[in-house]
Amino acid sequence: MTTSAAAPKIVIRDLATLEDLRQLQQVEKEVWGMGDEDSLPMTLAIALQAAGSIFVGAFDREKMAGFAFGMFGREHGQMTIHSHMLAVLDPYRQHDVGVKLKHAQRERALAMGIREMTWTYDPLQSRNAHLNFAKLGVVSDTYKVNFYGPETSSVLHRNGTDRLWVRWLLDSRRTQDRAAGKDRRAETVDALRLLAPLVSFNGDGHPVRADLAESLARQRVSIEIPGEILEVERTDMGLAREWREATRWAFTEAIRAGFYVAEFCRSIRGQQGPGAYLLEKGSIGEAGL
């Protein structure tokens, strides 16, 4: 008889020492494969920590399993936290370490009187989309083309560095519901079934663009993405670039037309199928989130 290994006992705490920051650098390089020119400099990390930025880590005994780092920002006339980095080592990703780190950031930001956190992520990364929208409840009305330039030293940044700039409304009902484990997957799947996607899969895995004017005349639109874009990049970079160009077109045109990104569902056509974003017409401020 075999038994599964027990889940590690993960402790979330603030980073407090120079050794903590050295471990952060090691995790950053392991997760992203960054060169020195793109890694967080130690002197800058020390200064940001001393100035009150939020550095939290997930620890398996003395070993750092992941970290999140956020710095002060200002948007819409109010103070925010911009969460610049979240990294979790691969063996720990099945234990919701990323969610725990984000909520640790949220608790610390709320204690400072800050009500909104922002960050960026690659909208072709379905796992990150699921974490951000389904588990945390972010929304987005900003798409940034090649935010970090055409590429960086990271192996994860070879297909452009387009990013969704997401907003996490920390004390909203939406965020509180997601923190309590409530999601809108059933409602989102129902809505997606009724929509002809602005970008969808054809029979052999390539993106197909719908008629723009017809799609944007509706109150809701959807955008499909591959289930595992990193696998596409490994096997066919030309196809991965097709998906970048098609989804860049879809997001930028929809947001320009007054839509915001409201939800995401992974694998709406089964485990190997694509995921899809749901975009709704209107402003985030008027959405009653």
Side-chain angles (χ1 to χ4, degrees), residues 30-41:
E30 182 170 339
V31 170
W32 284 304
M34 292 283 199
D36 289 341
E37 68 272 23
D38 291 316
S39 297
L40 180 65

Side-chain angles (χ1 to χ4, degrees), residues 162-219:
D162 287 18
R163 294 292 182 266
L164 273 180
W165 183 284
V166 302
R167 297 172 58 185
W168 199 22
L169 310 178
L170 300 179
D171 57 356
S172 68
R173 174 55 59 188
R174 174 189 175 97
T175 297
Q176 293 175 42
D177 284 347
R178 303 298 162 97
K182 302 175 184 177
D183 64 41
R184 294 188 58 200
R185 176 173 168 77
E187 296 94 325
T188 304
V189 169
D190 284 344
L192 291 169
R193 287 196 187 105
L194 302 175
L195 298 175
L198 189 51
V199 171
S200 60
F201 283 75
N202 69 5
D204 59 0
H206 288 261
V208 177
R209 306 185 189 195
D211 181 86
L212 183 64
E214 180 181 341
S215 296
L216 298 186
R218 305 186 180 104
Q219 291 300 307

Side-chain angles (χ1 to χ4, degrees), residues 48-203:
L48 288 167
Q49 183 189 49
S53 297
I54 298 175
F55 285 83
V56 290
F59 288 86
D60 181 1
R61 298 185 179 180
E62 299 303 314
K63 175 183 173 63
M64 182 181 289
F67 72 89
F69 153 52
M71 54 197 170
F72 292 107
R74 188 170 183 81
E75 295 185 54
H76 336 294
Q78 64 180 4
M79 189 70 71
T80 63
I81 291 291
H82 183 73
S83 183
H84 177 53
M85 287 191 289
L86 170 71
V88 178
L89 295 176
D90 188 64
Y92 297 94
R93 288 177 188 166
Q94 61 182 318
H95 302 295
D96 277 341
V97 173
V99 174
K100 293 171 184 175
L101 285 166
K102 295 309 295 185
H103 280 292
Q105 284 187 305
R106 174 175 177 256
E107 290 170 5
R108 286 152 179 77
L110 287 171
M112 297 175 184
I114 293 172
R115 295 292 179 263
E116 183 171 324
M117 190 180 299
T118 65
W119 61 89
T120 67
Y121 83 99
D122 182 349
L124 286 177
Q125 297 280 356
S126 66
R127 296 187 187 199
N128 290 348
H130 175 71
L131 166 67
N132 290 331
F133 286 90
K135 292 195 172 185
L136 298 177
V138 305
V139 288
S140 176
D141 59 5
T142 304
Y143 186 95
K144 294 184 177 289
V145 175
N146 279 334
F147 183 55
Y148 297 112
E151 64 179 34
T152 75
S153 59
S154 172
V155 295
L156 302 179
H157 295 168
R158 302 295 166 81
N159 185 23
T161 64
D162 287 18
R163 294 292 182 266
L164 273 180
W165 183 284
V166 302
R167 297 172 58 185
W168 199 22
L169 310 178
L170 300 179
D171 57 356
S172 68
R173 174 55 59 188
R174 174 189 175 97
T175 297
Q176 293 175 42
D177 284 347
R178 303 298 162 97
K182 302 175 184 177
D183 64 41
R184 294 188 58 200
R185 176 173 168 77
E187 296 94 325
T188 304
V189 169
D190 284 344
L192 291 169
R193 287 196 187 105
L194 302 175
L195 298 175
L198 189 51
V199 171
S200 60
F201 283 75
N202 69 5

